[in-house]
Amino acid sequence: MKERDIHFMRLALAEAEKGLGRTAPNPCVGAVVVREDQVVGRGYHRRAGTPHAEVNAIRDAGTACRGATIYVTLEPCNHTGRTPPCTAAILDAGIRRVVIGMKDPNPQVTGGGADYLRSQGLEVSSGLLEEDCRRLNYPFLKHSTTGLPWVIMKAGMSLDARISRQPGRGGAITGKESRQFVHKLRDRTDAILIGSRTALVDDPSLTTRLEKGRGRDPVRIVLDSRLRLSPGARMLGQESNAPTWIFASADADADRAARLRDQGAVVVSMEVDEQGRLLLHPILEYLGRHDITSVLVEGGAAVHGSFLGQGLVDQVFLFLAPYFIGDQGVPLVSGYGCDVPGISCPQLEKITLERLGRDILLQGLLNTSWCRIRGQDAE
C-alpha cells in the first residue's frame, strides 16, 4: 500500500503547487480524496482567507468521502482562524483515514490536528514525502518560525561571473529560456527587490510576463536611500496590480518622496548605517510583518554583496551564459569578502544543475538551520 500512498501524495503535491506565490502568509497545501484506489476529489489552498485544501477536496468529492482516505501535504488545522478547522470538515465528511505529508511547523499547534483526529477514531499517519512537502513551503516555514521572508538571490551572468558587459550598461546576459524561467520565479514569489543603481540603469518593469498573461506580478521593492528613482520610471507608469515599495533613509528629500507617492509608490523610511546604506535586516522584518514570505533579489552587485555579507540569502538561482565578458564587466557581487581568519565561506547545499537552452541553471541552498523540525534538517 505504501507505493499507492506515495502516488496519491504526489498528486496532492501537484495540487499544492497550483497555489505557489498566491497563498502568503499561508502555506501551499494540496489534498486528494481517494476511495477504492480512485481519486474522487482534489483541492488546493488558493489564497489566505479562502477554504483550505482539505475543504476544497472534500467539496469536490461530495458523498464519495464516506469511508475514504484523504492525502494532504500539511497537517490539517485544528483551530479556527479566518476559516473553520479542517479537522471538523474531515470528520463531518465521514473520512476514515488521513495521510499527512508534514506536520505543522508552528510549535503551538504541531501534532494538534493529527492527535485530535486520532482521538476521534480515525487512522492517521504522517511524514509521507515530508522532504518534498517542506521543499514546496520553504517561504512559509521560514516566515512562520522566524517572521522573516525567504530570500532568493537570482542573477544572470557570464562564465566569468559578470552580470553586465560594462558599468552603467544594461542588457540581457542569458538566453530566452532562462528569461522565461525567471518570469516563472517571479510568478511564484511575493516580492522582487533591486537596488537603486539597477533601477536607474535598466529602468525595469519588474513584472511577470508569461504566456497568455497568466503571470502574477510580485510586489516591487527598490532600495533607494537617497530617492534617486525618477517619478517617470517604467515600474511606476504601467498597468499592474502589484504596488511598488521604495525604502529610503529618514532624511531623504521630502519633495522627491511626495512626487514618487503621487505616482503611486509607497515610500518607507528605514534605518541606515554610518555610510548611509539601508540596513537590510529591519527591511526584511518590515516585509515579514506585511505578509511577504518570499523575496527575489535581482541585484545589482552591491545588493547581492550586502545580502551575502550579512548572511541573509537562503536560496540561489544562478543562470550561466556560455561565454566570457572579461575585466570590463560588472562582477556578480561587490563589497563582499570571505577572508576573515577562522571563518569559512558559506557553501551551497542541495546543489542542482539544469540545462536551459544554451544556459546552465545552478540552484542551491544556504541558511537551512532555521528549518529544523523536530531535529531534522530541511531538505
Side-chain angles (χ1 to χ4, degrees), residues 9 23 33 41 66 89 94 103 133 138 146 173 217 232 239 246 346 355 358:
M9 185 58 76
T23 63
V33 178
R66 293 289 169 186
K103 292 183 177 181
C133 295
Y138 282 151
T146 70
I173 297 292
D217 291 343
E239 292 186 9
I246 304 173
R355 185 78 176 265
R358 297 182 64 195

Short mmCIF file of all heavy atoms in Angstrom, two decimals, residues 9 23 33 41 66 89 94 103 133 138 146 173 217 232 239 246 346 355 358:
data_model
loop_
_atom_site.label_atom_id
_atom_site.label_comp_id
_atom_site.label_asym_id
_atom_site.label_seq_id
_atom_site.Cartn_x
_atom_site.Cartn_y
_atom_site.Cartn_z
N MET A 9 0.05 10.89 -2.72
CA MET A 9 0.63 12.08 -2.11
C MET A 9 1.29 12.95 -3.17
O MET A 9 1.27 14.18 -3.07
CB MET A 9 1.65 11.70 -1.03
CG MET A 9 2.21 12.90 -0.26
SD MET A 9 0.94 13.91 0.57
CE MET A 9 0.57 12.84 1.98
N THR A 23 -0.56 32.32 -1.81
CA THR A 23 -1.20 31.98 -0.53
C THR A 23 -0.65 32.74 0.67
O THR A 23 -1.13 32.56 1.78
CB THR A 23 -1.07 30.48 -0.26
OG1 THR A 23 0.32 30.13 -0.13
CG2 THR A 23 -1.70 29.66 -1.36
N VAL A 33 -8.81 13.20 -2.25
CA VAL A 33 -9.64 12.21 -1.56
C VAL A 33 -9.67 10.96 -2.43
O VAL A 33 -9.95 11.05 -3.64
CB VAL A 33 -11.06 12.75 -1.31
CG1 VAL A 33 -11.92 11.68 -0.63
CG2 VAL A 33 -11.00 14.02 -0.47
N GLY A 41 -11.79 13.28 -5.35
CA GLY A 41 -11.83 14.70 -5.06
C GLY A 41 -10.43 15.29 -5.02
O GLY A 41 -9.48 14.63 -4.56
N ARG A 66 -17.38 9.34 2.21
CA ARG A 66 -17.70 8.37 3.25
C ARG A 66 -16.80 7.14 3.15
O ARG A 66 -16.77 6.44 2.15
CB ARG A 66 -19.16 7.93 3.13
CG ARG A 66 -20.17 9.03 3.42
CD ARG A 66 -20.18 9.35 4.90
NE ARG A 66 -20.96 10.58 5.17
CZ ARG A 66 -21.03 11.14 6.36
NH1 ARG A 66 -20.39 10.61 7.38
NH2 ARG A 66 -21.73 12.24 6.53
N ALA A 89 -14.13 19.49 9.22
CA ALA A 89 -14.61 19.15 7.89
C ALA A 89 -14.32 17.69 7.55
O ALA A 89 -15.15 17.01 6.93
CB ALA A 89 -13.96 20.07 6.86
N GLY A 94 -17.04 12.14 6.92
CA GLY A 94 -17.03 10.69 7.06
C GLY A 94 -15.76 10.02 6.59
O GLY A 94 -15.73 8.80 6.38
N LYS A 103 4.08 17.75 9.32
CA LYS A 103 3.38 18.36 10.44
C LYS A 103 3.47 19.88 10.35
O LYS A 103 4.38 20.44 9.74
CB LYS A 103 3.98 17.87 11.76
CG LYS A 103 3.73 16.40 12.03
CD LYS A 103 4.26 15.97 13.38
CE LYS A 103 3.94 14.50 13.67
NZ LYS A 103 4.44 14.07 15.00
N CYS A 133 7.31 17.92 0.69
CA CYS A 133 6.32 18.86 1.21
C CYS A 133 6.98 20.08 1.81
O CYS A 133 6.51 21.21 1.65
CB CYS A 133 5.43 18.17 2.24
SG CYS A 133 4.40 16.84 1.55
N TYR A 138 9.26 26.26 1.69
CA TYR A 138 10.36 26.94 2.37
C TYR A 138 9.97 28.34 2.84
O TYR A 138 10.26 28.71 3.98
CB TYR A 138 11.59 27.02 1.46
CG TYR A 138 12.39 25.74 1.36
CD1 TYR A 138 13.12 25.45 0.21
CD2 TYR A 138 12.46 24.84 2.41
CE1 TYR A 138 13.87 24.30 0.10
CE2 TYR A 138 13.20 23.67 2.31
CZ TYR A 138 13.92 23.40 1.15
OH TYR A 138 14.65 22.26 1.05
N THR A 146 10.40 32.38 11.98
CA THR A 146 11.31 33.50 12.26
C THR A 146 10.67 34.87 12.05
O THR A 146 11.21 35.87 12.51
CB THR A 146 12.57 33.43 11.37
OG1 THR A 146 12.20 33.71 10.00
CG2 THR A 146 13.22 32.06 11.44
N ILE A 173 22.01 39.08 -20.39
CA ILE A 173 23.19 38.23 -20.46
C ILE A 173 22.82 36.83 -20.95
O ILE A 173 23.51 36.23 -21.76
CB ILE A 173 23.87 38.13 -19.08
CG1 ILE A 173 24.37 39.50 -18.62
CG2 ILE A 173 25.01 37.11 -19.10
CD1 ILE A 173 25.52 40.06 -19.42
N ASP A 217 2.11 39.54 -10.89
CA ASP A 217 3.19 40.46 -10.57
C ASP A 217 3.47 40.44 -9.07
O ASP A 217 2.55 40.59 -8.26
CB ASP A 217 2.84 41.88 -10.98
CG ASP A 217 2.79 42.05 -12.48
OD1 ASP A 217 3.33 41.18 -13.20
OD2 ASP A 217 2.20 43.05 -12.95
N GLY A 232 9.05 59.18 -13.29
CA GLY A 232 8.70 58.67 -14.61
C GLY A 232 9.23 57.28 -14.89
O GLY A 232 9.16 56.81 -16.03
N GLU A 239 0.49 49.30 -16.24
CA GLU A 239 -0.68 48.64 -15.69
C GLU A 239 -0.22 47.40 -14.92
O GLU A 239 0.33 46.47 -15.49
CB GLU A 239 -1.65 48.24 -16.79
CG GLU A 239 -2.32 49.42 -17.47
CD GLU A 239 -3.38 48.98 -18.46
OE1 GLU A 239 -3.70 47.77 -18.49
OE2 GLU A 239 -3.89 49.83 -19.21
N ILE A 246 9.28 51.67 -2.05
CA ILE A 246 10.63 52.24 -2.11
C ILE A 246 11.11 52.49 -0.68
O ILE A 246 10.46 53.22 0.08
CB ILE A 246 10.64 53.55 -2.91
CG1 ILE A 246 10.07 53.32 -4.32
CG2 ILE A 246 12.06 54.12 -2.99
CD1 ILE A 246 9.90 54.59 -5.11
N PRO A 346 30.50 30.62 3.39
CA PRO A 346 29.27 29.81 3.31
C PRO A 346 29.22 29.03 2.01
O PRO A 346 29.61 29.55 0.95
CB PRO A 346 28.16 30.86 3.39
CG PRO A 346 28.79 32.13 2.92
CD PRO A 346 30.21 32.06 3.38
N ARG A 355 19.88 22.34 -17.60
CA ARG A 355 20.13 22.97 -18.89
C ARG A 355 18.91 23.77 -19.32
O ARG A 355 17.78 23.26 -19.33
CB ARG A 355 20.46 21.90 -19.93
CG ARG A 355 20.86 22.43 -21.29
CD ARG A 355 22.27 22.93 -21.32
NE ARG A 355 22.65 23.33 -22.66
CZ ARG A 355 23.29 22.55 -23.53
NH1 ARG A 355 23.59 21.30 -23.19
NH2 ARG A 355 23.63 22.98 -24.71
N ARG A 358 20.92 27.18 -24.14
CA ARG A 358 22.39 27.15 -24.10
C ARG A 358 22.93 27.49 -22.72
O ARG A 358 24.13 27.42 -22.49
CB ARG A 358 22.95 28.14 -25.13
CG ARG A 358 22.58 27.82 -26.59
CD ARG A 358 23.23 28.82 -27.52
NE ARG A 358 24.68 28.73 -27.47
CZ ARG A 358 25.50 29.65 -27.97
NH1 ARG A 358 24.99 30.75 -28.52
NH2 ARG A 358 26.81 29.50 -27.90
#
